[in-house]
Amino acid sequence: MTGKVLVAQGGGPTAVINQSLVGAVLESRKFRSVEKVYGALHGVRGIVDEDFLDLTQETTHNLELVGETPSSGLGSTRDKPDAAYCREIFKVLQAHGIDNFFYIGGNDSSDTVRIVAEEAKKAAYGLRCIHIPKTIDNDLVITDHCPGFPSAARFVAQAFMGANLDNAALPGVYIGVVMGRHAGFLTAAAALGKKFPDDGPHLVYIPERAFDEDRFLADVKATYERYGRCVIAVSEGIADKDGVPIATKLAKEIEHDAHGNVQLGGGALGDLLVEIIKRKLGIKRVRGDTLGYLQRSFVGCVSDVDQREAREVGEKAVQYAMFGDRDGSVTIHRTGWYSVDYHLTPLEDIAGKTKVMPDEFIAENGTDVTDAFRLYLRPLLGRGMPDAFRLRGNRVAKILKQD
Amino acid sequence: MTGKVLVAQGGGPTAVINQSLVGAVLESRKFRSVEKVYGALHGVRGIVDEDFLDLTQETTHNLELVGETPSSGLGSTRDKPDAAYCREIFKVLQAHGIDNFFYIGGNDSSDTVRIVAEEAKKAAYGLRCIHIPKTIDNDLVITDHCPGFPSAARFVAQAFMGANLDNAALPGVYIGVVMGRHAGFLTAAAALGKKFPDDGPHLVYIPERAFDEDRFLADVKATYERYGRCVIAVSEGIADKDGVPIATKLAKEIEHDAHGNVQLGGGALGDLLVEIIKRKLGIKRVRGDTLGYLQRSFVGCVSDVDQREAREVGEKAVQYAMFGDRDGSVTIHRTGWYSVDYHLTPLEDIAGKTKVMPDEFIAENGTDVTDAFRLYLRPLLGRGMPDAFRLRGNRVAKILKQD
């Protein structure tokens, strides 16, 4: 392929999505045949609006620094293009003589790439379309994991490591609500913050298992009685056996009538679970946090493994485009303990499909992870994971309060 | 002084409170005259219950590792002892022959130390009482700043640095609620996450200034019109000119009748502000996060300046006890750009008093910080603060959408 390259970023930002961008830009600029490398601002929206930056005129040095900066340097969009929207995209690509289209994103983005590629074929226009994966949800099929997930998982593990220490110092019940509407990978990552056998999170609730309120309260009660405290990780996407979101259900149950008019915002699920525990178990110190946007954009908590893989999927995308003869999505395949290879997978095998946590990663009781999951996730978290230590001094005999 | 040392930790945990503990323990163990070093579990509660660990029997190596671990290694308490409770404390100290009492904590803890010292004097019992400061709120008087605050401030600055990048990628309004009931230092720290002139947080609301809803909405509207987005840092403690908490006020205003029965939990203020902006300004993408417990116990975001100062106030406390002849609170005094000295300040000058942000740190418009505040806070954040970079490629001329 020759001529002009266009790169864009879609969907929610991640801590390493700019590594993929920079990998694609720098690799493209190495090819003598590449005349221009454009970046579209705010994803497909910027393509349709023809909002392009000429990244041929950006220094290598600044590109490297942008690569280390979290969130989407080109800006992103929540637009989910339909066929008509994709035709608009294709028209713009055609007008600007783009030969290579690289879109960094999740499920929806891979589907956009697929439709745009089809439009190009219909028009017999030589456009190479490559999807570069990213998502903190880790819900793309075929790939072993998605760039962006390891850094978010590291943030979640470190957050729960701290929350557990805090909860041990001032005992009570702590609930941390983690992102993930359908896949529980990120919530399950909280378990990687555990070190000592009585460390939290003691309970992990993911969307892959139906949430039952009575069961939940019994779990919390048993844990609280055993340890005098309880740390809980909950996916924002938990639902009951009929698929009704728990946030909706609890809001009704608390007879929060007026609440029906209020969109369930950031803190709602956490606050509702806190309220239910206080009311039904009579535990006084119950606290809830929603990790929110911090988990995907916190600056200064990143996995070096994630960084290098995000960079490489960007580079590989360009290599597949330049040396290969087909469109596709770059996928990561685990080969050892720990090593990976990259493949180019047909777009139709990825687009619009969702992966959830496999059963082998979920403990039988449904509220914990398995060693298989620990083995899967630990190498992705990278170097320099913090470690927590405890005092071990002997107890001093009581003098006034002898039994 | 000779004999037995008792150390305890009170109030909310911080990322470096164990540095002070370890500083006090290791320094005490250097003195030939010190026979035992005890740690009380869960602060004053553990003293009354005689729950002591013998830290003379803890390895130096593990103590160093505990020093680097956030949250209170001995456990903490929210108990605020009155005179009778302090007499119980004194009785236990007397029974165990404690000669030196070190209590690491904030305002309430310094007052406890003061009362216990008075009880000892009344009983003509030779007890040296030293308060070791810590609080993420930074609200102790006399001391330049409080150990624990710099690391929490660093977390807040990094969190807003990321939130700003996220908000730039997917524009809208973002509200981050920060801890601080009376003092706005920690919320104001969000401003240290700014780099480029149009970076957020664009608006900072602290308890030192009365919150006016109309003014707030006008500020948000103006910012949104100017930048197409708006990042806001808000103290959990903001109140109106009559001192009514804004969370309470907004809940009523939204006619959230049933909400009156529900304790305003973690996410409430953020959710309410989000709702008000959506309703009154008609902006669609409005998101809120409450930084919650993450900001005081996140593992892996710490200021090295804070670590070494927290260690030193612990060490100095022991030196004041061993070589000095009076009780007091260890205070930090800034001497240069950036250097500090430590003093021992009389307990009655510290106990129960609260410092808030001085006017010189607050911009005239009330929604920003001054350069004086930046100069105050920046050195406390320590080495290796992350930095954010932007793409600067030239715009490409439009082809289809020419004006």
Side-chain angles (χ1 to χ4, degrees):
Chain A
M1 299 302 296
T2 59
K4 283 184 173 172
V5 168
L6 177 67
V7 191
Q9 299 172 307
T14 79
V16 299
I17 189 171
N18 287 338
Q19 288 286 1
S20 298
L21 169 68
V22 170
V25 171
L26 290 179
E27 189 67 14
S28 295
R29 301 203 315 185
K30 285 183 192 158
F31 287 84
R32 197 180 292 196
S33 58
V34 171
E35 177 196 335
K36 289 284 183 191
V37 181
Y38 288 171
L41 298 176
H42 295 291
V44 287
R45 169 53 44 201
I47 301 179
V48 170
D49 293 344
E50 289 182 86
D51 282 331
F52 296 149
L53 286 188
D54 183 357
L55 297 176
T56 332
Q57 300 182 54
E58 174 57 285
T59 65
T60 302
H61 192 73
N62 196 54
L63 281 169
E64 288 288 358
L65 293 169
V66 169
E68 290 172 12
T69 304
S71 189
S72 313
L74 285 170
S76 191
T77 179
R78 284 293 183 195
D79 282 6
K80 294 175 187 174
D82 55 12
Y85 196 122
C86 287
R87 278 193 293 275
E88 288 299 307
I89 293 173
F90 174 64
K91 261 194 232 166
V92 174
L93 300 187
Q94 205 172 16
H96 284 266
I98 303 295
D99 306 295
N100 295 279
F101 173 42
F102 300 104
Y103 200 27
I104 310 165
N107 282 321
D108 295 327
S109 305
S110 65
D111 206 41
T112 300
V113 178
R114 184 185 62 79
I115 306 174
V116 170
E118 276 175 13
E119 288 298 322
K121 272 191 202 95
K122 271 192 230 163
Y125 177 88
L127 179 71
R128 183 58 68 232
C129 295
I130 310 275
H131 168 245
I132 300 172
K134 78 84 215 170
T135 164
I136 64 165
D137 291 338
N138 202 36
D139 62 353
L140 294 178
V141 297
I142 297 178
T143 194
D144 178 76
H145 58 277
C146 305
F149 165 67
S151 293
R154 183 168 173 146
F155 181 89
V156 170
Q158 292 185 202
F160 274 87
M161 198 182 286
N164 172 65
L165 291 166
D166 199 292
N167 181 262
L170 289 171
V173 176
Y174 176 85
I175 299 169
V177 180
V178 183
M179 279 185 175
R181 297 251 163 217
H182 306 292
F185 291 102
L186 196 56
T187 304
L192 275 281
K194 292 171 82 153
K195 175 178 173 175
F196 295 98
D198 56 336
D199 274 342
H202 307 98
L203 300 169
V204 178
Y205 295 92
I206 53 176
E208 285 81 353
R209 294 288 179 266
F211 183 90
D212 178 82
E213 190 191 318
D214 293 335
R215 172 85 199 286
F216 168 73
L217 289 169
D219 289 345
V220 174
K221 188 165 182 280
T223 307
Y224 191 78
E225 280 169 1
R226 182 166 180 192
Y227 299 116
R229 64 191 192 92
C230 182
V231 176
I232 308 165
V234 178
S235 279
E236 61 179 354
I238 52 165
D240 71 7
K241 61 180 170 31
D242 305 316
V244 180
I246 296 305
T248 312
K249 207 170 169 178
L250 290 182
K252 274 185 198 154
E253 191 180 323
I254 293 185
E255 292 179 316
H256 225 195
D257 296 353
H259 211 112
N261 302 322
V262 180
Q263 205 203 323
L264 290 170
L269 177 62
D271 289 350
L272 291 167
L273 289 170
V274 163
E275 189 57 27
I276 286 283
I277 292 171
K278 280 186 187 171
R279 288 188 182 200
K280 303 215 170 163
L281 297 182
I283 300 172
K284 272 187 188 170
R285 192 171 187 276
V286 188
R287 301 286 185 269
D289 280 335
T290 300
L291 273 58
Y293 291 88
L294 270 59
Q295 64 202 301
R296 78 177 185 199
S297 59
F298 187 81
V299 178
C301 181
V302 74
S303 154
D304 62 318
V305 170
D306 195 18
Q307 279 185 309
R308 75 170 184 242
E309 290 178 349
R311 173 65 79 102
E312 284 202 285
V313 292
E315 290 190 38
K316 289 304 294 180
V318 174
Q319 295 184 354
Y320 287 126
M322 298 302 171
F323 301 121
D325 58 356
R326 59 194 174 90
D327 301 333
S329 174
V330 181
T331 47
I332 304 176
H333 301 266
R334 190 180 299 228
T335 55
W337 306 272
Y338 168 82
S339 57
V340 295
D341 268 352
Y342 301 99
H343 295 166
L344 188 68
T345 297
L347 288 165
E348 52 274 23
D349 292 353
I350 304 278
K353 291 178 182 165
T354 299
K355 182 169 75 180
V356 295
M357 291 258 288
D359 287 346
E360 59 158 346
F361 285 176
I362 308 168
E364 213 168 325
N365 65 12
T367 58
D368 199 0
V369 302
T370 60
D371 286 346
F373 180 71
R374 288 188 186 90
L375 196 63
Y376 167 78
L377 181 53
R378 185 57 192 83
L380 306 185
L381 301 180
R383 277 184 298 199
M385 273 294 284
D387 196 1
F389 293 85
R390 287 184 183 181
L391 292 171
R392 302 164 310 187
N394 302 21
R395 283 297 187 112
V396 175
K398 299 190 183 195
I399 294 175
L400 297 176
K401 287 213 165 59
Q402 288 167 328
D403 291 324
Chain B
M1 301 300 296
T2 58
K4 282 185 174 172
V5 167
L6 176 68
V7 190
Q9 298 172 308
T14 80
V16 298
I17 190 171
N18 288 338
Q19 289 285 0
S20 298
L21 169 68
V22 169
V25 171
L26 290 180
E27 190 67 15
S28 294
R29 302 204 313 186
K30 285 183 191 160
F31 287 83
R32 197 181 292 196
S33 58
V34 170
E35 177 196 335
K36 290 283 182 191
V37 180
Y38 289 171
L41 297 176
H42 296 290
V44 287
R45 170 52 45 201
I47 301 179
V48 169
D49 293 343
E50 289 182 86
D51 282 332
F52 296 150
L53 285 188
D54 183 358
L55 297 176
T56 331
Q57 300 182 52
E58 174 58 285
T59 65
T60 302
H61 192 71
N62 195 55
L63 281 169
E64 288 288 358
L65 293 168
V66 169
E68 290 171 14
T69 304
S71 189
S72 314
L74 284 171
S76 192
T77 179
R78 285 293 183 194
D79 282 6
K80 294 175 187 174
D82 54 12
Y85 196 122
C86 287
R87 277 194 293 278
E88 287 299 307
I89 292 173
F90 174 64
K91 261 194 233 166
V92 174
L93 300 187
Q94 205 173 16
H96 283 266
I98 303 294
D99 307 294
N100 296 278
F101 173 42
F102 301 104
Y103 199 29
I104 311 165
N107 282 322
D108 295 328
S109 304
S110 65
D111 205 41
T112 299
V113 177
R114 184 185 61 78
I115 306 173
V116 170
E118 277 175 12
E119 288 298 322
K121 271 190 202 95
K122 272 191 231 166
Y125 177 88
L127 180 70
R128 183 56 69 232
C129 295
I130 310 274
H131 168 245
I132 300 172
K134 77 84 213 168
T135 163
I136 64 165
D137 291 339
N138 202 36
D139 61 353
L140 293 178
V141 297
I142 298 178
T143 193
D144 177 76
H145 58 277
C146 306
F149 165 66
S151 293
R154 183 168 173 145
F155 181 89
V156 170
Q158 293 185 203
F160 275 87
M161 198 182 286
N164 172 65
L165 292 166
D166 199 294
N167 182 261
L170 289 171
V173 176
Y174 176 84
I175 299 168
V177 180
V178 183
M179 279 185 176
R181 298 251 164 216
H182 306 292
F185 292 102
L186 196 55
T187 305
L192 276 280
K194 291 171 82 153
K195 174 178 173 175
F196 297 98
D198 58 336
D199 274 342
H202 307 98
L203 300 168
V204 178
Y205 296 91
I206 53 176
E208 284 82 354
R209 293 289 179 266
F211 183 91
D212 177 82
E213 190 190 317
D214 293 335
R215 172 85 200 285
F216 168 73
L217 289 169
D219 290 344
V220 174
K221 188 164 181 279
T223 307
Y224 191 78
E225 280 169 3
R226 182 167 180 192
Y227 299 116
R229 65 192 192 91
C230 183
V231 176
I232 307 164
V234 178
S235 280
E236 61 179 353
I238 52 166
D240 71 8
K241 59 180 170 34
D242 306 315
V244 180
I246 296 305
T248 312
K249 207 169 169 176
L250 290 182
K252 274 185 198 155
E253 191 182 321
I254 292 185
E255 293 178 316
H256 225 198
D257 296 354
H259 211 110
N261 302 323
V262 181
Q263 205 203 323
L264 289 170
L269 176 61
D271 289 351
L272 291 167
L273 289 170
V274 164
E275 188 58 25
I276 286 283
I277 292 172
K278 280 187 186 168
R279 289 191 181 198
K280 304 216 171 163
L281 297 181
I283 300 171
K284 274 188 187 169
R285 192 169 188 277
V286 188
R287 303 285 186 271
D289 280 336
T290 300
L291 274 58
Y293 291 88
L294 270 59
Q295 64 202 299
R296 78 177 186 200
S297 58
F298 187 80
V299 178
C301 180
V302 74
S303 154
D304 61 320
V305 170
D306 196 19
Q307 279 184 310
R308 74 171 183 241
E309 291 178 349
R311 173 64 80 104
E312 284 204 284
V313 292
E315 290 190 37
K316 288 304 294 180
V318 173
Q319 294 184 355
Y320 287 125
M322 298 301 171
F323 301 120
D325 59 356
R326 57 194 175 90
D327 301 333
S329 174
V330 182
T331 47
I332 303 176
H333 301 266
R334 191 181 299 229
T335 54
W337 306 271
Y338 169 82
S339 57
V340 294
D341 268 352
Y342 302 98
H343 296 166
L344 188 69
T345 297
L347 288 166
E348 51 275 24
D349 292 353
I350 304 278
K353 291 178 182 165
T354 299
K355 182 170 74 180
V356 297
M357 291 258 286
D359 288 346
E360 58 159 345
F361 285 175
I362 308 169
E364 214 167 325
N365 64 13
T367 58
D368 199 0
V369 302
T370 60
D371 286 345
F373 180 72
R374 287 188 186 90
L375 196 63
Y376 166 77
L377 182 53
R378 185 58 191 83
L380 307 185
L381 301 180
R383 277 183 299 200
M385 272 294 285
D387 196 0
F389 294 86
R390 287 185 183 179
L391 292 171
R392 302 163 311 188
N394 302 19
R395 282 296 188 112
V396 175
K398 299 189 184 197
I399 294 175
L400 297 177
K401 286 210 167 60
Q402 288 165 330
D403 292 324

